[in-house]
Amino acid sequence: MKDQIRPALTMLLILTVLTGLIYPLAVTGLAQVFFPNQANGSLIVREGKVIGSTLIGQYFDKPEYFWSRPSATAPFPYNAVASGGSNLGPTNPALIEAVKARIAALRAADPGNDVRIPVDLVTASGSGLDPHISPAAALYQVKRVASARGIGEATVRDLVIQHTQSRQIGVLGEPRVNVLLLNLALDERR
């Protein structure tokens, strides 16, 4: 028995040091060297203050801002500690009611807009933290944002187009618009 305990404890110690100390430090060090922005949370800093991250959505409800996807996190929207979807299926009555309420809120905020509402404006993402919306969802909101800011729709539409990111390496994902970056660009226009 003693012949087996010593090698087992030695392997435990070696693997603990290797996988619990050396590997994480190496990965962290390489990330800091080659991808420092991403390794530090892709934070957006203005005037020395962190105002958000390009990786985590934020809640916007004022008419002069583009609105993000709904968030299913609790106890407040875009709570990174409570990341996760609602797990409600497409026929679940609670989801259907939530979608109807979101549609009603969008229609009330922009009563003259009779364009079909893009699905990502009324359904939460799997993580509940998605910082992006589809270009269609951003274009749907152009009229409301332009009107609330007192600027031309063409100007706002151009900003949406400028902030539309294409598929990664040309094939992965879908075109998308980072809501925080778009709203910051709107604020910088003043």
Side-chain angles (χ1 to χ4, degrees):
M1 181 98 160
K2 286 184 181 181
D3 294 340
Q4 295 174 350
I5 290 177
R6 184 170 184 192
L9 290 176
T10 303
M11 282 305 291
L12 175 66
L13 180 63
I14 290 170
L15 288 173
T16 299
V17 170
L18 184 65
T19 61
L21 188 63
I22 295 173
Y23 178 76
L25 288 174
V27 170
T28 301
L30 289 171
Q32 288 294 333
V33 170
F34 294 108
F35 307 104
N37 183 47
Q38 294 88 337
N40 293 309
S42 299
L43 301 176
I44 299 173
V45 180
R46 295 286 192 270
E47 299 174 12
K49 182 179 176 187
V50 174
I51 58 169
S53 168
T54 59
L55 302 175
I56 298 177
Q58 292 189 10
Y59 182 66
F60 295 98
D61 63 350
K62 294 181 181 174
E64 65 266 18
Y65 288 108
F66 284 89
W67 297 345
S68 303
R69 281 187 85 150
S71 175
T73 63
F76 53 87
Y78 303 101
N79 178 5
V81 175
S83 173
S86 67
N87 292 332
L88 300 176
T91 59
N92 186 300
L95 178 62
I96 292 169
E97 288 305 312
V99 168
K100 285 180 181 178
R102 292 168 183 159
I103 290 171
L106 286 168
R107 293 283 185 220
D110 194 2
N113 192 344
D114 58 357
V115 175
R116 186 174 178 191
I117 298 173
V119 70
D120 54 325
L121 286 179
V122 295
T123 57
S125 67
S127 69
L129 302 174
D130 196 351
H132 299 99
I133 56 176
S134 66
L139 292 171
Y140 173 83
Q141 301 179 68
V142 164
K143 184 178 176 186
R144 183 196 77 237
V145 172
S147 175
R149 288 185 177 259
I151 57 178
E153 288 182 38
T155 302
V156 177
R157 190 174 293 107
D158 287 345
L159 276 173
V160 169
I161 292 167
Q162 290 170 18
H163 285 83
T164 299
Q165 301 167 355
S166 60
R167 298 170 186 249
Q168 293 173 326
I169 60 171
V171 295
L172 299 176
E174 293 295 323
R176 64 215 176 277
V177 178
N178 187 295
V179 177
L180 177 59
L181 294 178
L182 179 57
N183 285 334
L184 288 173
L186 279 167
D187 284 345
E188 290 171 2
R189 263 199 95 261
R190 292 182 186 183

